[in-house]
Amino acid sequence: MLSQDQNRALTEVGAGTPMGELLRRYWMPVAAVAELDDHPTKPVRLLGEDLVLYKDEAGNYGLVDRHCPHRRADLSYGWVEQRGLRCHYHGWLWDHTGRCLRQPFEETAHPDSRFKDRVRIKSYAVESKGGLLWAYLGPPPAPLVPTWEPFTWQNGFVQIVFSEVPCNWFQCQENSIDPVHFEWLHSNWSRAMSRADGDRSPTHLKIGFEEFEYGFIYRRILEGQSEQDELWTVGRCCLWPNCLFTGGHFEWRVPIDDANMLSVGWFFDRVPNDMEPFKQDRIPYWTSPIKDSLTDRWITSHVMNQDFVAWVGQGTVADRTQEHLGESDRGVIMMRRRILEDAERVVRGGEPKGVIRDPEKNRCIRLPIIGRDFFVNGSSRVESETSRQRTPGLLLRKEFPFLTGQPEEVRAAYRRAMGLPEPGVDARSPAG
Ligand code: FES
Ligand SMILES: [Fe+2]
């Protein structure tokens, strides 16, 4: 059981708090590259700070204070120019380094004044990688945006999915090291909701946890499996400090503030060999709703929606003084201890876990990946249907199981990429 102070230390993300400072040592995904191509400004709230992300006409990404330093107008209503973001209130122009480039009436009234050199806007670094835009809110020098191995894979259909979840980020990240929940929150609960008869899902016989350079690995043995299966030999990743990596997808739990979290999912589906080569010009993105507007209840139909229900159910900030932890929570306990130590280390001026500064190393950061050979080399359609069945997550998916509300155009693009028949068309029936 934790004290109130420990609970606060794990959950508060504002500047100057130990966890807020720890999180500011890492790049956070905040938008999709294609999103800014569709609309060049986006309001972003990150780690309790209100900001505006933009892409100017020269292609520079900026992340600046939401409020104009002149008289505080909301810059998410500004417009981008060749260089910088123009405030819609009196036309002051700001660039991505925080400089004021133009002050129209001041320049007319006092052509010789250097007023604009004396005002700056708060600005942060932005980089693109893997179809995502990443922000760094920490002190210089910024580390490198990790080139996680899946970002280098070819012949995959990638999609990015956002959801805003109204609870603290850390209870979401605790789920990244909680293998047993899968059996109950996903398998058995889905069965209970659909009133499925017959076999229940295989139960967990054994779980294991181990720290590695970029986080923790968790392993499991399910009924019918052994220590020879990849769920045990390879395992899955709780990626430092705020991500789950399953092999085929990432889920970042990005802290908006103490009470809200932006879930950023990055999903890779390998196309069957007969559909190669496959290349995406643009990685699609969409936002998944989390509440059913008719019933005003959380949506429970998809895997990550089920996770969201568990997390918001713990309260806006889970009260860890009231818990009763058991054997299934060993990983959660290890992770809490480690992240509090890391936060202390940052307070003392040290570098926390998993920060990458070596460009050579960052050409491709390898992670434990169940079915790596499949993701890299693919497989034939027949193999996809059969030999991959033993390992959860490797099946050729006909529908997107993780989040509700996939737009029809993304679904159609996925089916084309995979060589699946158009919905409603029976693959065996003759064409025409
Ligand atoms: S408030 Fe932005 S230019 Fe005046
Ligand atoms: Fe889950």
Side-chain angles (χ1 to χ4, degrees), residues 108-262:
T108 303
H110 303 289
D112 300 327
S113 137
R114 306 301 300 167
F115 183 20
K116 66 176 182 301
D117 297 341
R118 298 196 307 274
V119 286
R120 288 189 72 84
I121 191 166
K122 178 167 78 176
S123 68
Y124 294 117
V126 179
E127 277 193 37
S128 69
K129 186 166 282 187
L132 288 165
L133 293 174
W134 303 76
Y136 178 75
L137 271 54
L144 300 168
V145 183
T147 307
W148 303 120
E149 180 177 348
F151 295 166
T152 69
W153 288 342
Q154 308 292 314
N155 288 303
F157 183 91
V158 176
Q159 57 192 301
I160 292 165
V161 190
F162 301 102
S163 321
E164 266 195 49
V165 183
C167 70
N168 183 263
W169 76 284
F170 193 70
Q171 63 217 46
C172 315
Q173 180 59 2
E174 287 173 325
N175 172 272
S176 307
I177 191 156
D178 182 356
V180 173
H181 93 276
F182 194 90
E183 177 186 338
W184 293 97
L185 184 72
H186 302 305
S187 305
N188 288 333
W189 190 25
S190 299
R191 300 178 72 80
M193 284 189 290
S194 64
R195 300 185 193 284
D197 298 326
D199 296 344
R200 62 185 174 75
S201 71
T203 198
H204 281 76
L205 299 178
K206 187 171 164 184
I207 54 175
F209 305 95
E210 185 187 316
E211 189 169 352
F212 81 119
E213 191 173 358
Y214 301 108
F216 286 82
I217 298 168
Y218 67 85
R219 308 169 194 279
R220 51 159 72 95
I221 298 177
L222 298 170
E223 234 170 351
Q225 299 198 320
S226 75
E227 291 191 2
Q228 272 68 57
D229 283 279
E230 283 192 299
L231 283 173
W232 185 261
T233 57
V234 180
R236 300 202 197 280
C237 278
C238 164
L239 206 57
W240 219 243
N242 64 330
C243 185
L244 167 71
F245 174 60
T246 66
H249 78 264
F250 294 89
E251 296 173 23
W252 286 275
R253 294 72 158 93
V254 179
I256 295 172
D257 52 30
D258 292 350
N260 295 280
M261 189 277 293
L262 177 69

Side-chain angles (χ1 to χ4, degrees), residues 391-407:
T391 308
L394 294 188
L395 278 177
L396 197 161
R397 287 189 275 265
K398 299 206 168 52
E399 300 295 337
F400 187 72
F402 296 104
L403 290 137
T404 189
Q406 187 187 46

Side-chain angles (χ1 to χ4, degrees), residues 34-49:
E35 201 177 351
L36 276 277
D37 292 337
D38 289 347
H39 190 83
T41 56
K42 178 186 181 175
V44 164
R45 185 165 161 79
L46 176 60
L47 295 167
E49 299 188 36

Side-chain angles (χ1 to χ4, degrees), residues 67-75 86-94 102-104:
H67 295 286
C68 178
H70 177 217
R71 276 174 42 214
R72 313 290 296 154
D74 178 349
L75 281 170
R86 180 79 76 167
C87 180
H88 58 297
Y89 202 6
H90 312 95
W92 292 20
L93 179 68
W94 304 97
R102 285 276 172 273
Q103 288 172 319

